C-alpha cells in the first residue's frame, strides 16, 4: 500500500478521498489554489501546498506545479478525483515518467476512451451495441452526406466534449450548416479540439450507466447500474440505483456487456460505461468515463463496496478480493446534487459566504460536501457544493427519506436547489420510474 498520496483536486471529492486515505492509514497531501486557502480539503489533509492562482489553468490544471508538489513531498501516487486532470492522458503519462502512480487507468486507455469517436468504434468492435451514427466528419458537405444516412433529429457531438457540454441537437438539414459551424468553433474554444462526430438522437431514452472495477491481474467486475436520466442541459441532477424499470435479464446483459468491454479495453481501476436505454430494453454505448464518477456513492450504498478505497488498492497492486458472483445489491440509493444556483432564475450560479449551515442527519443519510458554516464559496469552480445521498430498503422509502433530508438541509447565504430537487421527487414520471432524459426540461 502507498504511504502517501497527493490529491489533485478540490471540493467534496478531495475530502472524500482524504477520508478514505485516513481510514487506510495513508498520509495525504492536498494542493490548493489561492482562492481555496480556507477550503476544507486543505485543513483535513496531513500536508497542504498552494500551487497557483484561482483560475483552474493556473492551479488544478497546472501539471508541472502538481507534479513538483508530489515529488517534493515524496508522494507515491496521485489521485485526480473527477474533472480537472482526471481524464488527461498526458498527465497520466507524466505521472508514470516521474515514478508516481496515477490512480486510474493508464494513459493509452484514457486517450482511447477520451476520444469519444474512437471509443465508439472500439466498443463496436467489441460487440457492444453503439448508437447509430458516424465517425468524425471532415467538413459541412461530409456532415450533410452522413446526416442523410443517419436521419433526423441528430446530435453533433464534440470528440473531446465532457460535462454535458459540446452537444448540439438538430432537427433538419436546414439547420445543419449553421449548427456545424457553431459546434466546431465552440468545441475548439471549450476543449481545444474542434473535431465533431454525429449520432442519431435517441428519444425517449434513459441514461443508464454501469460501474466497472478492475485490478492489474485481469479481474473485472461490474457493480451494477445507475439511472442518471434526471438531467438539465445534459447534466445530471439526480442519480439512483437500481433502475427499477429494468428487468433482471436486461441487467444481466448489461453487466456482461460491460465486463466484456472492460476486458477488451484492458481496463484498470474504477470506470463507468454510459449507455442510452430505450423503452424496449435495448441499450447502446454512449461513452466511457475513465475515472471516479460524481455519483459513485449510490453504487457504494447498494453494494457496500468503497470505490475510492478500491481505486487506491488496485493502483497499489492489490488484487480484487471478490468476484462478480460475490456482489450483492441491497436496497435502493438516491443522490441529489446540491448546486449553488437559483433554480427560479434560470439556474444562475450563486456565490458567497455560508452564513448558516445545518446538514441533515439520521439513519442512512450521507452528505458529501466541503462546505462549512462561515465558508465563502469562490466563484471560480463548479457550482456543485454537495451531494445528498440516502439509502433505504425500498425505492418509496428512499424517496421519502430524501424528501425529509432535503427539507432539513439549511444553507443560508447562497441560493441552492434543495427545494427544487424535492419538487422533482414528486413529479409523476419520477415517482413511477419511467422518466427519460428529456422529462426535466418538459417539467420545467
Ligand atoms: P458525471 O458523469 O460524473 O456527472 P461529468 O461528465 O458531468 O461527470 O463531469 C464531472 C466533472 O468534471 C464535472 O465537474 C464537470 O464539470 C467536469 N468535466 C467533465 N468533463 C469536462 C471537460 N471536458 N471540460 C471541463 N470540465 C469537465
Ligand atoms: P458528456 O461527455 O458531456 O457526459 P455524453 O456523450 O455522455 O457527454 O452525453 C451527455 C448526455 O447527453 C447524455 O447523458 C444524454 O442525456 C444525452 N445524449 C448524448 N448522446 C445522445 C444521443 N445520441 N441521443 C440522445 N441523447 C443523447
Ligand atoms: Mg457522459
Amino acid at each position: 500500500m502507498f504511504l502517501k498520496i497527493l490529491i489533485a483536486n478540490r471540493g467534496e471529492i478531495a475530502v472524500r478521498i482524504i477520508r478514505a486515505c485516513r481510514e487506510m492509514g495513508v498520509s495525504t497531501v492536498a494542493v490548493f489554489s489561492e482562492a481555496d486557502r480556507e477550503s476544507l480539503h486543505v485543513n483535513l489533509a496531513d500536508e497542504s501546498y498552494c500551487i497557483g492562482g484561482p483560475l483552474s489553468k493556473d492551479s488544478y490544471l497546472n501539471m508541472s506545479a502538481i507534479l513538483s508538489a508530489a515529488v517534493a513531498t515524496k508522494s507515491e501516487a496521485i489521485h485526480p478525483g473527477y474533472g480537472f486532470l482526471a481524464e488527461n492522458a498526458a498527465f497520466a503519462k507524466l505521472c508514470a515518467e516521474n515514478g508516481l502512480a496515477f490512480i486510474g487507468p493508464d494513459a493509452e486507455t484514457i486517450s482511447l476512451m477520451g476520444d469519444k469517436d474512437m471509443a465508439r468504434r472500439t466498443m463496436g468492435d467489441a460487440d457492444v451495441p453503439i448508437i447509430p451514427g458516424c465517425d468524425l466528419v471532415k467538413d459541412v458537405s461530409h456532415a450533410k452526406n452522413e446526416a442523410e444516412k443517419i436521419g433526423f433529429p441528430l446530435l453533433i457531438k464534440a470528440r473531446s466534449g465532457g460535462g454535458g457540454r459540446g452537444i448540439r441537437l438538430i432537427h433538419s438539414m436546414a439547420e445543419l450548416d449553421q449548427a456545424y459551424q457553431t459546434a466546431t468553433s465552440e468545441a475548439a474554444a471549450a476543449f481545444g479540439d474542434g473535431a465533431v462526430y454525429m449520432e442519431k438522437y435517441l428519444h425517449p431514452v434513459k441514461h443508464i450507466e454501469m460501474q466497472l472495477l478492475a485490478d492489474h491481474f485481469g479481474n473485472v467486475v461490474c457493480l451494477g447500474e445507475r439511472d442518471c436520466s434526471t438531467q438539465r442541459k445534459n447534466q445530471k441532477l439526480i442519480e439512483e440505483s437500481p433502475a427499477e424499470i429494468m428487468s433482471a435479464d436486461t441487467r444481466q446483459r448489461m453487466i456482461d456487456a460491460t465486463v466484456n468491454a472492460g476486458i477488451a479495453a484492458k481496463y484498470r481501476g474504477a470506470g463507468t460505461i454510459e449507455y442510452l436505454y430505450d423503452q424496449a430494453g435495448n441499450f447502446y454505448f454512449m461513452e466511457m468515463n475513465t475515472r471516479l464518477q460524481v455519483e459513485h456513492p449510490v453504487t457504494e450504498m447498494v453494494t457496500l463496496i468503497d470505490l475510492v478505497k478500491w481505486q487506491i488498492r488496485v493502483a497499489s497492486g492489490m488484487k480484487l478480493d471478490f468476484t462478480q458472483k460475490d456482489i450483492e445489491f441491497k436496497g435502493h440509493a438516491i443522490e441529489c446534487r446540491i448546486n449553488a444556483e437559483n433554480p427560479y432564475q434560470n439556474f444562475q450560479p450563486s456565490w458567497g459566504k455560508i452564513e448558516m449551515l445545518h446538514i441533515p442527519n439520521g439513519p442512512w443519510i450521507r452528505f458529501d460536501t466541503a462546505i462549512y458554516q462561515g465558508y465563502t464559496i469562490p466563484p471560480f469552480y463548479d457550482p456543485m457544493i454537495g451531494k445528498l445521498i440516502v439509502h433505504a430498503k425500498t425505492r418509496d422509502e428512499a424517496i421519502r427519506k430524501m424528501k425529509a433530508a432535503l427539507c432539513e438541509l439549511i444553507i443560508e447565504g447562497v441560493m441552492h436547489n434543495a427545494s427544487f430537487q424535492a419538487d422533482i421527487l414528486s413529479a409523476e414520471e419520477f415517482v413511477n420510474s419511467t422518466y427519460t432524459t428529456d422529462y426535466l426540461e418538459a417539467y420545467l
Side-chain angles (χ1 to χ4, degrees):
M1 180 47 61
F2 303 119
L3 293 175
K4 197 191 262 191
I5 294 176
L6 181 143
I7 295 106
N9 215 301
R10 65 180 302 283
E12 67 86 18
I13 198 61
V15 170
R16 165 77 186 87
I17 297 162
I18 291 167
R19 286 182 178 140
C21 290
R22 179 147 298 145
E23 285 179 36
M24 297 170 88
V26 177
S27 300
T28 50
V29 178
V31 291
F32 60 98
S33 75
E34 280 159 19
D36 272 345
R37 243 168 237 291
E38 305 300 325
S39 286
L40 193 58
H41 75 287
V42 176
N43 275 302
L44 287 185
D46 298 312
E47 299 166 62
S48 322
Y49 298 92
C50 182
I51 48 162
L55 297 181
S56 300
K57 71 171 175 54
D58 297 324
S59 46
Y60 300 107
L61 292 174
N62 184 341
M63 299 192 222
S64 56
I66 293 169
L67 290 165
S68 305
V71 171
T73 55
K74 299 195 165 61
S75 298
E76 291 171 276
I78 297 189
H79 196 308
Y82 54 72
F84 298 124
L85 297 171
E87 291 173 281
N88 188 310
F91 183 66
K93 190 157 174 275
L94 281 170
C95 286
E97 286 167 6
N98 284 281
L100 294 154
F102 175 81
I103 300 180
D106 55 30
E108 291 83 86
T109 307
I110 297 174
S111 48
L112 178 67
M113 293 298 152
D115 179 330
K116 296 175 77 171
D117 159 68
M118 203 141 77
R120 249 183 115 247
R121 280 180 277 143
T122 309
M123 290 298 159
D125 293 344
D127 286 332
V128 180
I130 57 173
I131 300 167
C134 65
D135 296 344
L136 289 188
V137 286
K138 295 192 292 281
D139 50 39
V140 183
S141 71
H142 184 197
K144 282 185 177 157
N145 275 334
E146 294 293 350
E148 200 86 59
K149 289 183 240 162
I150 299 168
F152 292 93
L154 60 75
L155 295 176
I156 304 182
K157 297 175 78 170
R159 164 171 72 181
S160 303
R165 294 171 313 132
I167 300 175
R168 191 162 234 98
L169 172 63
I170 54 172
H171 296 92
S172 69
M173 201 57 97
E175 292 172 51
L176 188 80
D177 218 317
Q178 177 77 50
Y180 177 82
Q181 305 299 350
T182 26
T184 49
S185 54
E186 277 178 13
F191 313 112
D193 174 13
V196 297
Y197 64 106
M198 298 189 300
E199 268 176 9
K200 190 168 184 61
Y201 176 66
L202 302 182
H203 71 107
V205 285
K206 274 185 171 292
H207 170 125
I208 302 278
E209 58 183 35
M210 308 296 286
Q211 178 68 51
L212 259 182
L213 188 60
D215 64 18
H216 288 220
F217 302 91
N219 301 304
V220 181
V221 294
C222 175
L223 302 183
E225 81 277 9
R226 295 182 287 258
D227 185 340
C228 308
S229 308
T230 301
Q231 300 184 352
R232 189 184 147 263
K233 298 204 162 169
N234 301 321
Q235 286 168 3
K236 301 161 186 167
L237 267 179
I238 301 178
E239 303 95 347
E240 60 176 322
S241 186
E244 227 172 41
I245 41 77
M246 185 146 69
S247 69
D249 172 61
T250 307
R251 176 172 300 111
Q252 195 54 51
R253 283 193 295 125
M254 289 186 82
I255 288 176
D256 294 343
T258 303
V259 169
N260 288 339
I263 293 168
K266 294 197 175 60
Y267 200 78
R268 283 162 183 187
T272 293
I273 301 197
E274 299 186 333
Y275 298 93
L276 290 179
Y277 174 96
D278 71 17
Q279 277 155 328
N282 301 306
F283 57 92
Y284 305 89
F285 171 81
M286 185 161 53
E287 69 159 342
M288 176 161 199
N289 292 327
T290 55
R291 53 164 164 91
L292 187 67
Q293 203 89 338
V294 173
E295 56 275 19
H296 74 277
V298 298
T299 298
E300 296 184 325
M301 303 304 250
V302 296
T303 59
L304 275 170
I305 290 168
D306 187 314
L307 279 164
V308 176
K309 285 189 192 163
W310 274 109
Q311 281 190 297
I312 296 170
R313 289 189 191 117
V314 299
S316 80
M318 285 173 72
K319 253 189 195 155
L320 289 179
D321 71 355
F322 56 93
T323 63
Q324 190 67 43
K325 62 179 189 324
D326 299 322
I327 300 165
E328 282 181 72
F329 301 102
K330 286 239 163 75
H332 197 96
I334 305 179
E335 170 183 281
C336 284
R337 297 190 187 196
I338 305 302
N339 295 336
E341 63 192 11
N342 185 348
Y344 310 104
Q345 251 176 15
N346 203 27
F347 298 86
Q348 213 166 48
S350 173
W351 306 291
K353 186 170 173 188
I354 313 263
E355 301 289 354
M356 152 79 189
L357 175 67
H358 171 74
I359 293 175
N361 215 322
W364 298 290
I365 294 175
R366 166 174 168 184
F367 191 53
D368 280 18
T369 189
I371 64 170
Y372 55 86
Q373 194 160 309
Y375 172 69
T376 299
I377 301 171
F380 306 102
Y381 313 105
D382 212 81
M384 195 187 76
I385 52 170
K387 307 182 308 205
L388 185 55
I389 304 117
V390 301
H391 188 207
K393 199 150 189 174
T394 64
R395 184 170 190 266
D396 280 351
E397 196 182 347
I399 293 176
R400 281 198 298 273
K401 192 182 280 293
M402 179 60 88
K403 281 187 186 165
L406 285 166
C407 177
E408 190 179 324
L409 175 67
I410 301 170
I411 306 172
E412 279 174 14
V414 296
M415 298 294 298
H416 62 87
N417 63 347
S419 65
F420 174 64
Q421 290 279 27
D423 289 344
I424 302 175
L425 298 178
S426 300
E428 197 188 323
E429 295 94 327
F430 189 86
V431 172
N432 63 29
S433 278
T434 57
Y435 63 99
T436 51
T437 54
D438 50 4
Y439 93 105
L440 191 57
E441 299 291 350
Y443 175 82
L444 281 166

